[in-house]
Every structure is written in structure tokens, then in C-alpha cells.
Amino acid sequence: VVFPPLERRNRQRGPVAFTIQTAQGARLPGALLLCLFWVVPSFAMGGQRPGSIASIRLFKQCESSEWQAHLDTYTAAVAAVGAARKKQKDLVKWNTFLNTQLPDKAQHAGKLTLSDMEVVMNWKITKHTFRPLMGQLKSNAPALVEKATADAFKIACKTENGGKLVASEKYAKDSLAAICVLRGIGPATASAVLAHVNGNFPFMADEALEGCGLDRKYDVSTYISLMKALQGKAKDLGGHWNAEMVGRSLWTAAMAHVHKLKLAPCTTAAMTSESTAPSTVTKNTTPKTASKTKRKEA
């Protein structure tokens, strides 16, 4: 990198101009360096998530056995992601909490604590794309966290049409809005809570968005489009399928592609395993087992 003479720089106003000198002696504008190391990577970061090509491919499949094989590999995929990020033990523990304790807390306590939400956030920013949101989450008053989650559960855990868990757009929007009053919580993080108490309201994973042809926009409108797409696919697959199961399968397809995972064999035992199937499915009762300016983030 070649800078202009000192006396010339002293006369300049604004940023210091510079050039790049190649091994052959040619000089290129410094702007090219910025383009190569800042502009180009910025565009690349906005591209498709690694492995989403596999999610797109799976979404076009109609065979339930293919989908089941991916769903049964979900737990292994979680462990693989944790290992790749050197947090396997923690991620597996957080994933177990979301699938077992969180639904139980929703039914019996009817709310989550601030420490519970910290587990949800850790799960999200480790299993999915990292964003520095923990500080904002911790700035919420514990009482506000409990009230917000209690309000969301009252909506998301309602039943209708013979006891089935609600699945409409209105309930999804109202549930999201209840949790999104918290600092650091946007629709994507809020959906991580809802997905584990009502399988009709899926988690907003990037790989699920791209799998069904949607842009990675973390707003309520995009979430509703994702929910409808995954609910539609669940209806096509029939049986025990719901939107969250479909979303998990799409995410697993992407991770299996990235981490070279072998899909689990589809067996009856695997289909009913709590470790791979969502803790909350659409059924005749609510789940009994599983648990100043504000900056809104995904």
C-alpha cells in the first residue's frame, strides 16, 4: 500500500487517498481494496445459508418417509452443530430444555423466567446465526419477562375445533406481539418459544425460510408466510406432522448437508421419540410433557 507524500496529505481534506502497488509495479486505486475486502464480502454474507440447497430440495419432496428420516436426525444435527462451534454439551443441554422443560413450564407455571429466556437465547444464537442480543435481553425486568411470556402462553396454548391447538394467523400474531415487548426479542426469537408449546407456530429458522422460497426477513409478515407454507406441507404429509416438525426437518436437511451427516433410518420407535419429535403436536389436549426506544432484533 502506497500513501501520498506527507506534505500532500497535509493539504488534503477528508480521507487520505492511497493506492495499491502490485508485485509487477502497477498501482491500483485504494478503493479497489475496500471493494475486495468489504463490499464483496458484504454481498456474499447476504447470500443463501450453507446447506439451504438441501432444504429447498427436501421441500419439493412428497414422500413422508424422506421427511421422517430428516426429522429423526434432528438431535444428531443439533449435536453436530454444537461440536462445530465447540459448545456441544451446552447446546444439547439447551435443546433438551426447550423440548422438555419449557413446555412443562408453559403448562404448569404458565410463564418463563428471565433465566429461562436466557437459555432460549443461548440456544438460538448457538444453534443458528449469532447476534449480540443477550445484553439487551438481560436488561429486561424479571417481572416483565414473566408477564410477557404468560400473556403469550395464554394465547398460543388455546384450543379450538374439538380441542386442537390454535393455528390461525391471528393467534400467531398476538402471541408474537406479547413476547416482542421485551428488549432484544424479535419475531424470530419469539417463535423459538412458541414453537415448543404449539407445533403449529414453527421456529423461524433461516434454512426453513429459504427452504420454502422465502427471503430472510425477520418481520411478522414473513413469519406468517413461513407458518402458512410449513402448515401446508404438514397437511400434505398428513398423519402426525405439524409446521414445527416440517421446519425442523428443513433445518436438519441443511445441517446434514453441511456436516455430512448420515440420515437416521425411519422406524416406528424413532417416530415417537421425544428426542427427535417436537414436544408439542396438534392433538386433542394441550401439551403435558416436553417447557425509552427499544431496538427490535430477530
Side-chain angles (χ1 to χ4, degrees):
V1 177
V2 180
F3 288 92
L6 180 61
E7 62 272 15
R8 181 181 171 189
R9 278 184 277 165
N10 289 337
R11 293 195 302 269
Q12 287 179 335
R13 295 181 181 276
V16 176
F18 62 93
T19 58
I20 307 169
Q21 185 169 326
T22 67
Q24 290 74 28
R27 292 189 175 187
L28 302 173
L32 180 61
L33 182 66
L34 296 177
C35 180
L36 290 174
F37 292 96
W38 180 50
V39 178
V40 172
S42 296
F43 277 103
M45 287 175 65
Q48 196 175 81
R49 291 288 186 227
S52 283
I53 185 172
S55 303
I56 295 170
R57 188 184 305 121
L58 178 62
F59 193 75
K60 297 176 181 178
Q61 294 293 324
C62 298
E63 289 293 329
S64 60
S65 59
E66 178 79 7
W67 282 87
Q68 190 65 52
H70 284 83
L71 182 61
D72 293 342
T73 311
Y74 176 74
T75 300
V78 171
V81 171
R85 299 186 177 182
K86 303 187 185 306
K87 288 188 175 182
Q88 184 180 51
K89 185 177 180 180
D90 288 335
L91 184 55
V92 170
K93 178 180 66 176
W94 296 330
N95 192 64
T96 299
F97 173 87
L98 265 74
N99 282 290
T100 58
Q101 294 172 254
L102 191 152
D104 189 64
K105 284 175 176 282
Q107 182 182 14
H108 297 104
K111 62 186 177 183
L112 296 180
T113 64
L114 177 56
S115 61
D116 293 333
M117 284 300 297
E118 289 175 16
V119 174
V120 174
M121 182 66 77
N122 275 322
W123 174 87
K124 177 179 178 289
I125 63 179
T126 303
K127 178 171 173 277
H128 300 273
T129 304
F130 175 82
R131 290 184 175 85
L133 302 175
M134 187 63 80
Q136 294 184 60
L137 174 62
K138 289 183 177 180
S139 70
N140 290 287
L144 179 60
V145 173
E146 293 179 11
K147 182 181 185 305
T149 54
D151 290 344
F153 291 154
K154 288 177 183 177
I155 301 168
C157 295
K158 284 185 177 179
T159 57
E160 59 182 1
N161 298 330
K164 293 183 179 180
L165 289 167
V166 293
S168 69
E169 176 180 335
K170 178 184 183 304
Y171 287 113
K173 286 182 175 180
D174 291 347
S175 300
L176 290 173
I179 303 180
C180 286
V181 300
L182 301 174
R183 284 187 293 273
I185 302 297
T189 306
S191 73
V193 175
L194 300 181
H196 291 85
V197 299
N198 186 336
N200 296 315
F201 300 154
F203 172 62
M204 199 179 196
D206 290 346
E207 295 77 10
L209 286 167
E210 293 180 337
C212 55
L214 296 171
D215 293 331
R216 294 200 317 266
K217 295 181 180 179
Y218 309 109
D219 52 39
V220 175
S221 176
T222 303
Y223 178 78
I224 295 302
S225 296
L226 172 69
M227 182 188 78
K228 290 181 177 179
L230 299 189
Q231 286 181 354
K233 177 58 71 172
K235 183 177 181 180
D236 292 341
L237 293 172
H240 61 290
W241 286 91
N242 60 34
E244 171 61 3
M245 287 178 168
V246 173
R248 290 188 186 195
S249 299
L250 293 174
W251 178 82
T252 301
M255 295 305 104
H257 179 83
V258 171
H259 299 285
K260 311 301 181 185
L261 300 179
K262 183 178 180 180
L263 296 181
C266 180
T267 65
T268 303
M271 290 174 65
T272 59
S273 171
E274 288 188 7
S275 64
T276 54
S279 57
T280 317
V281 296
T282 303
K283 53 186 181 180
N284 291 330
T285 60
T286 52
K288 292 184 179 180
T289 308
S291 115
K292 301 143 187 180
T293 302
K294 297 179 182 177
R295 179 186 169 196
K296 292 300 179 184
E297 300 284 355

mmCIF file of all heavy atoms in Angstrom, residues 229-257:
data_model
loop_
_atom_site.group_PDB
_atom_site.id
_atom_site.type_symbol
_atom_site.label_atom_id
_atom_site.label_comp_id
_atom_site.label_asym_id
_atom_site.label_seq_id
_atom_site.Cartn_x
_atom_site.Cartn_y
_atom_site.Cartn_z
ATOM 1 N N ALA A 229 -46.735 -21.736 4.883
ATOM 2 C CA ALA A 229 -46.063 -22.672 3.989
ATOM 3 C C ALA A 229 -45.775 -23.994 4.695
ATOM 4 O O ALA A 229 -45.990 -25.077 4.134
ATOM 5 C CB ALA A 229 -44.764 -22.058 3.471
ATOM 6 N N LEU A 230 -45.305 -23.921 5.933
ATOM 7 C CA LEU A 230 -44.980 -25.142 6.677
ATOM 8 C C LEU A 230 -46.238 -25.886 7.110
ATOM 9 O O LEU A 230 -46.264 -27.123 7.134
ATOM 10 C CB LEU A 230 -44.114 -24.806 7.883
ATOM 11 C CG LEU A 230 -42.758 -24.145 7.582
ATOM 12 C CD1 LEU A 230 -41.912 -24.065 8.847
ATOM 13 C CD2 LEU A 230 -42.016 -24.879 6.484
ATOM 14 N N GLN A 231 -47.283 -25.143 7.467
ATOM 15 C CA GLN A 231 -48.550 -25.797 7.801
ATOM 16 C C GLN A 231 -49.120 -26.512 6.571
ATOM 17 O O GLN A 231 -49.680 -27.607 6.682
ATOM 18 C CB GLN A 231 -49.556 -24.772 8.312
ATOM 19 C CG GLN A 231 -49.278 -24.273 9.722
ATOM 20 C CD GLN A 231 -50.320 -23.284 10.204
ATOM 21 O OE1 GLN A 231 -51.217 -22.875 9.458
ATOM 22 N NE2 GLN A 231 -50.212 -22.868 11.458
ATOM 23 N N GLY A 232 -48.956 -25.894 5.399
ATOM 24 C CA GLY A 232 -49.441 -26.515 4.170
ATOM 25 C C GLY A 232 -48.702 -27.811 3.866
ATOM 26 O O GLY A 232 -49.316 -28.817 3.485
ATOM 27 N N LYS A 233 -47.383 -27.787 4.049
ATOM 28 C CA LYS A 233 -46.603 -29.000 3.806
ATOM 29 C C LYS A 233 -46.960 -30.080 4.828
ATOM 30 O O LYS A 233 -47.045 -31.271 4.489
ATOM 31 C CB LYS A 233 -45.109 -28.681 3.873
ATOM 32 C CG LYS A 233 -44.195 -29.881 3.718
ATOM 33 C CD LYS A 233 -44.424 -30.609 2.389
ATOM 34 C CE LYS A 233 -43.928 -29.819 1.207
ATOM 35 N NZ LYS A 233 -43.989 -30.622 -0.051
ATOM 36 N N ALA A 234 -47.183 -29.690 6.074
ATOM 37 C CA ALA A 234 -47.576 -30.655 7.107
ATOM 38 C C ALA A 234 -48.898 -31.318 6.740
ATOM 39 O O ALA A 234 -49.080 -32.522 6.937
ATOM 40 C CB ALA A 234 -47.691 -29.958 8.462
ATOM 41 N N LYS A 235 -49.812 -30.542 6.201
ATOM 42 C CA LYS A 235 -51.107 -31.086 5.791
ATOM 43 C C LYS A 235 -50.922 -32.080 4.658
ATOM 44 O O LYS A 235 -51.579 -33.136 4.618
ATOM 45 C CB LYS A 235 -52.038 -29.954 5.362
ATOM 46 C CG LYS A 235 -53.432 -30.415 4.997
ATOM 47 C CD LYS A 235 -54.330 -29.230 4.657
ATOM 48 C CE LYS A 235 -55.737 -29.698 4.305
ATOM 49 N NZ LYS A 235 -56.622 -28.545 3.967
ATOM 50 N N ASP A 236 -50.013 -31.769 3.724
ATOM 51 C CA ASP A 236 -49.748 -32.678 2.613
ATOM 52 C C ASP A 236 -49.141 -33.989 3.106
ATOM 53 O O ASP A 236 -49.464 -35.060 2.593
ATOM 54 C CB ASP A 236 -48.786 -32.022 1.607
ATOM 55 C CG ASP A 236 -49.415 -30.841 0.877
ATOM 56 O OD1 ASP A 236 -50.661 -30.747 0.866
ATOM 57 O OD2 ASP A 236 -48.655 -30.017 0.328
ATOM 58 N N LEU A 237 -48.264 -33.899 4.104
ATOM 59 C CA LEU A 237 -47.616 -35.099 4.632
ATOM 60 C C LEU A 237 -48.569 -35.942 5.467
ATOM 61 O O LEU A 237 -48.435 -37.158 5.546
ATOM 62 C CB LEU A 237 -46.395 -34.710 5.469
ATOM 63 C CG LEU A 237 -45.224 -34.083 4.699
ATOM 64 C CD1 LEU A 237 -44.158 -33.572 5.657
ATOM 65 C CD2 LEU A 237 -44.625 -35.090 3.722
ATOM 66 N N GLY A 238 -49.531 -35.269 6.112
ATOM 67 C CA GLY A 238 -50.562 -35.969 6.876
ATOM 68 C C GLY A 238 -50.063 -36.562 8.173
ATOM 69 O O GLY A 238 -48.975 -36.244 8.658
ATOM 70 N N GLY A 239 -50.879 -37.410 8.765
ATOM 71 C CA GLY A 239 -50.506 -38.095 9.993
ATOM 72 C C GLY A 239 -50.165 -37.169 11.136
ATOM 73 O O GLY A 239 -50.919 -36.244 11.454
ATOM 74 N N HIS A 240 -49.009 -37.403 11.778
ATOM 75 C CA HIS A 240 -48.620 -36.685 12.980
ATOM 76 C C HIS A 240 -47.912 -35.366 12.686
ATOM 77 O O HIS A 240 -47.516 -34.670 13.616
ATOM 78 C CB HIS A 240 -47.685 -37.568 13.814
ATOM 79 C CG HIS A 240 -46.419 -37.926 13.083
ATOM 80 N ND1 HIS A 240 -46.407 -38.786 12.015
ATOM 81 C CD2 HIS A 240 -45.134 -37.517 13.260
ATOM 82 C CE1 HIS A 240 -45.170 -38.907 11.563
ATOM 83 N NE2 HIS A 240 -44.372 -38.136 12.299
ATOM 84 N N TRP A 241 -47.757 -34.989 11.429
ATOM 85 C CA TRP A 241 -46.940 -33.840 11.060
ATOM 86 C C TRP A 241 -47.584 -32.510 11.433
ATOM 87 O O TRP A 241 -48.787 -32.348 11.346
ATOM 88 C CB TRP A 241 -46.635 -33.855 9.568
ATOM 89 C CG TRP A 241 -45.633 -34.894 9.215
ATOM 90 C CD1 TRP A 241 -45.889 -36.184 8.851
ATOM 91 C CD2 TRP A 241 -44.217 -34.748 9.246
ATOM 92 N NE1 TRP A 241 -44.709 -36.863 8.644
ATOM 93 C CE2 TRP A 241 -43.668 -35.996 8.877
ATOM 94 C CE3 TRP A 241 -43.364 -33.686 9.548
ATOM 95 C CZ2 TRP A 241 -42.293 -36.205 8.796
ATOM 96 C CZ3 TRP A 241 -42.000 -33.893 9.456
ATOM 97 C CH2 TRP A 241 -41.475 -35.147 9.094
ATOM 98 N N ASN A 242 -46.738 -31.566 11.852
ATOM 99 C CA ASN A 242 -47.183 -30.187 12.051
ATOM 100 C C ASN A 242 -46.099 -29.250 11.521
ATOM 101 O O ASN A 242 -45.040 -29.706 11.065
ATOM 102 C CB ASN A 242 -47.510 -29.901 13.529
ATOM 103 C CG ASN A 242 -46.326 -30.098 14.456
ATOM 104 O OD1 ASN A 242 -45.175 -29.853 14.094
ATOM 105 N ND2 ASN A 242 -46.607 -30.528 15.684
ATOM 106 N N ALA A 243 -46.342 -27.965 11.580
ATOM 107 C CA ALA A 243 -45.432 -26.987 10.981
ATOM 108 C C ALA A 243 -44.036 -27.024 11.592
ATOM 109 O O ALA A 243 -43.032 -26.905 10.885
ATOM 110 C CB ALA A 243 -46.025 -25.580 11.121
ATOM 111 N N GLU A 244 -43.937 -27.184 12.911
ATOM 112 C CA GLU A 244 -42.622 -27.204 13.565
ATOM 113 C C GLU A 244 -41.825 -28.429 13.154
ATOM 114 O O GLU A 244 -40.615 -28.354 12.955
ATOM 115 C CB GLU A 244 -42.786 -27.153 15.088
ATOM 116 C CG GLU A 244 -41.513 -27.379 15.884
ATOM 117 C CD GLU A 244 -40.407 -26.365 15.643
ATOM 118 O OE1 GLU A 244 -40.614 -25.395 14.870
ATOM 119 O OE2 GLU A 244 -39.323 -26.533 16.211
ATOM 120 N N MET A 245 -42.495 -29.560 12.981
ATOM 121 C CA MET A 245 -41.804 -30.758 12.518
ATOM 122 C C MET A 245 -41.218 -30.537 11.131
ATOM 123 O O MET A 245 -40.086 -30.924 10.847
ATOM 124 C CB MET A 245 -42.770 -31.945 12.488
ATOM 125 C CG MET A 245 -43.145 -32.500 13.839
ATOM 126 S SD MET A 245 -44.323 -33.860 13.604
ATOM 127 C CE MET A 245 -44.317 -34.577 15.240
ATOM 128 N N VAL A 246 -42.003 -29.904 10.267
ATOM 129 C CA VAL A 246 -41.540 -29.611 8.906
ATOM 130 C C VAL A 246 -40.332 -28.677 8.960
ATOM 131 O O VAL A 246 -39.331 -28.885 8.268
ATOM 132 C CB VAL A 246 -42.665 -28.981 8.070
ATOM 133 C CG1 VAL A 246 -42.144 -28.514 6.707
ATOM 134 C CG2 VAL A 246 -43.802 -29.983 7.869
ATOM 135 N N GLY A 247 -40.415 -27.644 9.789
ATOM 136 C CA GLY A 247 -39.313 -26.705 9.914
ATOM 137 C C GLY A 247 -38.044 -27.364 10.422
ATOM 138 O O GLY A 247 -36.943 -27.084 9.929
ATOM 139 N N ARG A 248 -38.172 -28.247 11.412
ATOM 140 C CA ARG A 248 -37.004 -28.947 11.939
ATOM 141 C C ARG A 248 -36.382 -29.835 10.870
ATOM 142 O O ARG A 248 -35.157 -29.965 10.781
ATOM 143 C CB ARG A 248 -37.390 -29.795 13.153
ATOM 144 C CG ARG A 248 -37.750 -28.986 14.372
ATOM 145 C CD ARG A 248 -37.925 -29.887 15.581
ATOM 146 N NE ARG A 248 -38.402 -29.120 16.728
ATOM 147 C CZ ARG A 248 -38.373 -29.555 17.975
ATOM 148 N NH1 ARG A 248 -37.910 -30.760 18.225
ATOM 149 N NH2 ARG A 248 -38.829 -28.808 18.960
ATOM 150 N N SER A 249 -37.220 -30.462 10.076
ATOM 151 C CA SER A 249 -36.708 -31.328 9.015
ATOM 152 C C SER A 249 -35.927 -30.531 7.976
ATOM 153 O O SER A 249 -34.883 -30.987 7.499
ATOM 154 C CB SER A 249 -37.873 -32.074 8.347
ATOM 155 O OG SER A 249 -38.557 -32.881 9.280
ATOM 156 N N LEU A 250 -36.421 -29.351 7.643
ATOM 157 C CA LEU A 250 -35.722 -28.497 6.670
ATOM 158 C C LEU A 250 -34.374 -28.046 7.222
ATOM 159 O O LEU A 250 -33.363 -28.039 6.503
ATOM 160 C CB LEU A 250 -36.581 -27.285 6.312
ATOM 161 C CG LEU A 250 -37.861 -27.573 5.528
ATOM 162 C CD1 LEU A 250 -38.689 -26.296 5.369
ATOM 163 C CD2 LEU A 250 -37.533 -28.158 4.161
ATOM 164 N N TRP A 251 -34.343 -27.671 8.494
ATOM 165 C CA TRP A 251 -33.085 -27.262 9.121
ATOM 166 C C TRP A 251 -32.111 -28.442 9.155
ATOM 167 O O TRP A 251 -30.928 -28.292 8.852
ATOM 168 C CB TRP A 251 -33.340 -26.754 10.542
ATOM 169 C CG TRP A 251 -32.087 -26.366 11.257
ATOM 170 C CD1 TRP A 251 -31.405 -25.185 11.167
ATOM 171 C CD2 TRP A 251 -31.332 -27.197 12.162
ATOM 172 N NE1 TRP A 251 -30.277 -25.211 11.966
ATOM 173 C CE2 TRP A 251 -30.216 -26.440 12.582
ATOM 174 C CE3 TRP A 251 -31.498 -28.482 12.666
ATOM 175 C CZ2 TRP A 251 -29.272 -26.933 13.485
ATOM 176 C CZ3 TRP A 251 -30.560 -28.978 13.552
ATOM 177 C CH2 TRP A 251 -29.462 -28.209 13.957
ATOM 178 N N THR A 252 -32.620 -29.622 9.489
ATOM 179 C CA THR A 252 -31.781 -30.819 9.549
ATOM 180 C C THR A 252 -31.211 -31.156 8.181
ATOM 181 O O THR A 252 -30.051 -31.569 8.069
ATOM 182 C CB THR A 252 -32.580 -32.010 10.093
ATOM 183 O OG1 THR A 252 -33.063 -31.700 11.409
ATOM 184 C CG2 THR A 252 -31.729 -33.263 10.152
ATOM 185 N N ALA A 253 -32.015 -30.977 7.131
ATOM 186 C CA ALA A 253 -31.530 -31.245 5.773
ATOM 187 C C ALA A 253 -30.311 -30.384 5.463
ATOM 188 O O ALA A 253 -29.311 -30.862 4.912
ATOM 189 C CB ALA A 253 -32.641 -30.978 4.758
ATOM 190 N N ALA A 254 -30.389 -29.104 5.847
ATOM 191 C CA ALA A 254 -29.266 -28.192 5.608
ATOM 192 C C ALA A 254 -28.046 -28.592 6.421
ATOM 193 O O ALA A 254 -26.915 -28.612 5.914
ATOM 194 C CB ALA A 254 -29.685 -26.763 5.940
ATOM 195 N N MET A 255 -28.245 -28.923 7.692
ATOM 196 C CA MET A 255 -27.116 -29.278 8.554
ATOM 197 C C MET A 255 -26.507 -30.628 8.164
ATOM 198 O O MET A 255 -25.293 -30.824 8.256
ATOM 199 C CB MET A 255 -27.566 -29.321 10.018
ATOM 200 C CG MET A 255 -28.012 -27.970 10.572
ATOM 201 S SD MET A 255 -26.764 -26.661 10.400
ATOM 202 C CE MET A 255 -27.448 -25.717 8.998
ATOM 203 N N ALA A 256 -27.343 -31.563 7.729
ATOM 204 C CA ALA A 256 -26.833 -32.855 7.279
ATOM 205 C C ALA A 256 -25.952 -32.667 6.048
ATOM 206 O O ALA A 256 -24.931 -33.341 5.879
ATOM 207 C CB ALA A 256 -27.987 -33.800 6.968
ATOM 208 N N HIS A 257 -26.348 -31.731 5.212
ATOM 209 C CA HIS A 257 -25.557 -31.418 4.004
ATOM 210 C C HIS A 257 -24.222 -30.785 4.383
ATOM 211 O O HIS A 257 -23.172 -31.174 3.866
ATOM 212 C CB HIS A 257 -26.362 -30.471 3.109
ATOM 213 C CG HIS A 257 -25.647 -30.078 1.861
ATOM 214 N ND1 HIS A 257 -25.640 -30.866 0.726
ATOM 215 C CD2 HIS A 257 -24.901 -28.972 1.545
ATOM 216 C CE1 HIS A 257 -24.932 -30.276 -0.220
ATOM 217 N NE2 HIS A 257 -24.474 -29.123 0.257
#
